[in-house]
Amino acid sequence: MIYDVVILGSGPAGYTAALYASRANLSVLLLEGIEVGGQLMITTDVENYPGFPDGIMGPELMQKFKEQVERFGTECRFGSATSVDFTSSPFAITVDEQEVVKGRGVIIATGAQARWLGLESETRLKGYGVSACATCDGFFFKDKEIAVVGGGDSAMEEANFLTKFASKVTVIHRRDKLRASKIMQDRALANPKIEFLWNHSVTEVLTETGREVVGLKVENTQSGEESTIALEGLFLAIGHDPTTQIFRGIIDLDESGYIVPEDHTMTNIPGVFAAGDCVDHRYRQAVTAAGLGCQAALDLERWLEDQEHAG
Ligand code: NAP
């Protein structure tokens, strides 16, 4: 079977693209990937997705996205694209190195992943005081002392943003020089609520009940000396990696691996569109990803119509 559209990814961008495409009477296959539901599956309360005045848990929101697309006939299938042949439409996508599925059009919504330090305690406390999204979780740290790890623009931006809530933000950076742009550095250095802990890395996140953060164990990267800091939240801002490895050499990517669209949501390959965090490293919000998913579906629908008229 050749689907009208194959969508890669099951975050807000992928599901919203599927919603619009299936309501336009297109046959839609959505490949869910390994992390079904995407990054929101590792958040707890989502309070900034419009329409949920009392907030909603990330996994529950993604379940609702899925139910909504299935209602309109989208076929959701567990599996990841392991290689693609985008030479001509219908495009061929190999799923889990086995089966090949085909789509007249494709929407890439494979998302991005926040980088983590890789500590066992960090993994265990995600959603319980450890976060990689200040916009999502900053609100929970009113009048609390917290830390941000990183020395780039994201770390400066998140540290500044978090001072709206937290009583004190300690930026922990592994070197004594920031990577961030001058203006972002200046803003953070001038903020009286931000302190810098230079030449340090986090080696353990401390907890008492396993449901909260009470401090950090840190190590001086020069001397190796260990110490502890008492605080209630840890934000990681050490970068994101878009999930675009299989498109390298096929789809135009920037130096960080983000998809570079050519015409609105269309990539350099006509008929292949991109939406969400794999293309947008600036906003990275569920609502903006959903908006891009909608745009990609509308662009693809028009492209398919143009193909029919041309043919
Ligand atoms: P980034 O520029 O790659 O910076 C990552 C930071 O995290 C670096 O300071 C790095 O340290 C540190 N880091 C990386 N791995 C680490 C680890 N395992 N342990 C401890 N520290 C670690 O990433 P970003 O800040 O997310 O920015 C990504 C891109 O988006 C950049 O081009 C940035 O300019 C852009 N951006 C722009 C804005 C804005 O203009 N408003 C806002 C956010 C992001 P080292 O410095 O030692 O390598």
Side-chain angles (χ1 to χ4, degrees):
M1 167 170 180
I2 298 172
Y3 292 90
D4 289 325
V5 50
V6 176
I7 297 172
L8 312 180
S10 58
Y15 281 135
T16 307
L19 176 64
Y20 275 76
S22 51
R23 288 192 77 260
N25 258 347
L26 300 175
S27 57
V28 183
L29 173 68
L30 182 144
L31 286 177
E32 294 174 319
I34 304 167
E35 285 176 35
V36 184
Q39 293 183 70
L40 277 181
M41 298 303 281
I42 54 155
T43 41
T44 47
D45 274 322
V46 179
E47 293 184 330
N48 57 5
Y49 200 85
F52 296 93
D54 301 322
I56 184 166
M57 300 301 270
E60 191 190 343
L61 178 61
M62 296 325 295
Q63 182 57 33
K64 285 183 185 293
F65 268 101
K66 183 171 176 170
E67 282 167 21
Q68 196 171 359
V69 301
E70 286 181 333
R71 177 179 157 208
F72 294 105
T74 291
E75 182 183 333
C76 295
R77 199 184 296 179
F78 184 71
S80 296
T82 44
S83 63
V84 292
D85 180 354
F86 287 165
T87 322
S88 62
S89 173
F91 304 110
I93 297 122
T94 305
V95 184
D96 295 333
E97 292 174 357
Q98 292 167 353
E99 187 194 359
V100 174
V101 295
K102 289 192 174 179
R104 292 165 64 212
V106 170
I107 296 175
I108 303 171
T110 45
Q113 294 187 323
R115 288 187 205 136
W116 298 90
L117 297 171
L119 304 170
E120 186 274 326
S121 52
E122 167 196 60
T123 310
R124 208 161 15 93
L125 292 164
K126 273 180 199 170
Y128 297 100
V130 174
S131 169
C133 179
T135 322
C136 321
D137 298 325
F139 186 74
F140 302 116
F141 295 88
K142 261 188 188 156
D143 302 322
K144 295 187 172 165
E145 296 196 5
I146 59 176
V148 172
V149 178
D153 280 333
S154 293
M156 297 310 107
E157 190 169 72
E158 306 230 325
N160 266 313
F161 173 75
L162 287 165
T163 60
K164 290 184 186 179
F165 313 101
S167 53
K168 179 178 155 191
V169 177
T170 304
V171 173
I172 303 174
H173 186 34
R174 61 185 178 186
R175 296 187 292 141
D176 63 355
K177 280 196 183 58
L178 295 171
R179 180 179 293 277
S181 55
K182 177 87 172 59
I183 184 164
M184 303 287 278
Q185 291 194 24
D186 290 349
R187 226 174 268 163
L189 289 162
N191 188 324
K193 280 180 154 185
I194 298 180
E195 274 184 19
F196 285 82
L197 184 61
W198 303 106
N199 297 316
H200 274 77
S201 58
V202 176
T203 53
E204 192 182 341
V205 189
L206 304 171
T207 181
E208 274 164 8
T209 65
R211 287 284 181 271
E212 89 299 54
V213 169
V214 297
L216 300 175
K217 208 179 259 184
V218 294
E219 185 183 80
N220 187 310
T221 53
Q222 313 259 289
S223 65
E225 198 182 315
E226 282 206 326
S227 51
T228 55
I229 316 172
L231 44 69
E232 293 179 70
L234 174 66
F235 285 83
L236 283 309
I238 59 174
H240 281 76
D241 294 312
T243 315
T244 55
Q245 295 82 344
I246 60 164
F247 309 116
R248 200 163 284 283
I250 302 170
I251 297 286
D252 286 348
L253 307 176
D254 69 12
E255 68 280 1
S256 305
Y258 287 92
I259 294 172
V260 181
E262 196 160 293
D263 181 15
H264 293 85
T265 62
M266 190 150 82
T267 67
N268 56 303
I269 297 181
V272 178
F273 299 79
D277 286 12
C278 62
V279 66
D280 166 36
H281 56 79
R282 190 183 175 100
Y283 300 107
R284 296 198 298 247
Q285 302 301 303
V287 67
T288 51
L292 281 168
C294 160
Q295 292 174 36
L298 295 175
D299 288 344
L300 179 135
E301 195 189 331
R302 277 175 208 149
W303 182 81
L304 286 175
E305 269 171 25
D306 289 348
Q307 299 306 298
E308 275 159 25
H309 289 140

